[in-house]
């Protein structure tokens, strides 16, 4: 099977967004923040981005759905 594992600094938000569409199942072993009032704004905490990026390291549920 086609499997990729990213740990530490390699587990970045931009990578998750770029590669998620290639997989039927995604498994994130990370911390998260649940937003009870707006669930689509719940977040997975990923590695802090490198300089000069538009990402914040917080992958929100609505971003995963895209």
């Amino acid at each position: 099977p086609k499997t990729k594992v990213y740990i530490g600094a390699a587990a970045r938000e931009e990578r998750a967004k770029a590669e998620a569409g290639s997989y039927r199942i995604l498994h994130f072993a990370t911390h998260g923040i649940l937003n009870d009032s707006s669930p689509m704004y719940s977040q997975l905490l990923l590695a802090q981005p490198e300089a000069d990026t538009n990402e914040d390291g917080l992958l929100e549920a609505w971003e995963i759905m895209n």
Side-chain angles (χ1 to χ4, degrees), residues 39-62:
M40 291 304 284
Y41 288 98
S42 296
Q43 306 165 338
L44 294 177
L45 307 175
L46 300 175
Q48 289 297 309
E50 297 176 6
D52 300 326
T53 181
N54 293 326
E55 304 298 348
D56 57 6
L58 303 173
L59 183 61
E60 295 179 338
W62 69 267

Side-chain angles (χ1 to χ4, degrees), residues 20-55:
S22 302
Y23 297 94
R24 201 176 107 240
I25 297 172
L26 301 173
H27 176 89
F28 291 93
T30 187
H31 293 277
I33 299 170
L34 178 63
N35 186 328
D36 286 327
S37 60
S38 296
M40 291 304 284
Y41 288 98
S42 296
Q43 306 165 338
L44 294 177
L45 307 175
L46 300 175
Q48 289 297 309
E50 297 176 6
D52 300 326
T53 181
N54 293 326
E55 304 298 348

